[in-house]
């Protein structure tokens, strides 16, 4: 007699994410300039992740305005073994570069996910 297959336990209010909106590349940024010279930033690829676009909530928008930053988008990515920090930069599949403004855990999502707030970078000066 076979036992019925037990479904994994999941909290009722979790939202299943499909990450079907695109692909984002996360880069670490380091200063390659010799001491005493102007900064010369260099990007090093850390991880490539699929993402789902998130709505930019009014609270997050007002918090960004208070800090004098212009958050352009918020994306949700699956949690990775490679840490994403606010010192990183991101490039979406359309070639646009962003600075990672903040990284927050998305507690109501399955699989475990992160919300990343992005600020557009004006092109120039950074090599890759």
């Amino acid at each position: 007699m076979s036992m019925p297959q037990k479904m994994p336990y999941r909290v009722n209010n979790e939202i299943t994410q499909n990450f079907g909106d695109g692909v984002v590349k996360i880069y670490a940024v380091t200063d390659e300039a010799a001491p005493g010279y102007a900064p010369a930033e260099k990007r090093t690829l850390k991880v490539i992740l699929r993402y789902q676009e998130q709505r930019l909530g009014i609270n997050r928008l007002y918090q960004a305005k208070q800090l004098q930053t212009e958050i352009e988008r918020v994306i949700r990515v699956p949690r990775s073994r490679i840490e994403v920090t606010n010192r990183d930069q991101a490039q979406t599949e359309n070639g646009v570069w962003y600075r990672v403004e903040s990284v927050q855990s998305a507690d109501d999502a399955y699989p475990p996910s992160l919300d990343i707030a992005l600020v557009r970078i004006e092109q120039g000066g950074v090599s890759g």
Side-chain angles (χ1 to χ4, degrees):
M1 181 161 119
S2 66
M3 297 291 289
Q5 188 171 4
K6 185 176 179 183
M7 298 299 287
Y9 171 75
R10 295 220 351 234
V11 180
N12 288 338
N13 60 352
E14 281 184 334
I15 301 167
T16 300
Q17 304 297 307
N18 64 9
F19 306 112
D21 289 341
V23 176
V24 63
K25 296 177 182 177
I26 305 293
Y27 291 83
V29 180
T30 55
D31 185 4
E32 295 287 311
Y37 288 87
E41 295 180 330
K42 181 179 182 207
R43 297 178 178 125
T44 306
L45 183 64
K46 287 173 79 172
V47 65
I48 299 173
L49 300 167
R50 297 194 61 73
Y51 70 85
Q52 182 171 344
E53 201 78 39
Q54 297 295 296
R55 194 182 72 178
L56 186 58
I58 193 75
N59 289 340
R60 195 181 312 236
L61 188 62
Y62 280 123
Q63 288 172 353
K65 293 280 188 197
Q66 287 176 340
L67 297 173
Q68 297 177 346
T69 59
E70 193 66 41
I71 293 176
E72 187 165 305
R73 8 177 9 178
V74 176
I75 59 174
R76 180 165 289 172
V77 298
R79 193 178 299 268
S80 169
R81 290 182 303 224
I82 298 174
E83 183 181 17
V84 178
T85 70
N86 62 353
R87 295 179 303 278
D88 294 335
Q89 292 181 2
Q91 183 185 36
T92 53
E93 69 279 354
N94 60 359
V96 178
W97 285 95
Y98 298 92
R99 178 174 47 86
V100 174
E101 178 66 25
S102 67
V103 181
Q104 296 177 320
S105 177
D107 297 328
D108 60 346
Y110 182 85
S113 306
L114 299 172
D115 284 345
I116 301 175
L118 301 173
V119 176
R120 185 186 287 256
I121 297 175
E122 298 303 322
Q123 289 299 329
V126 178
S127 64

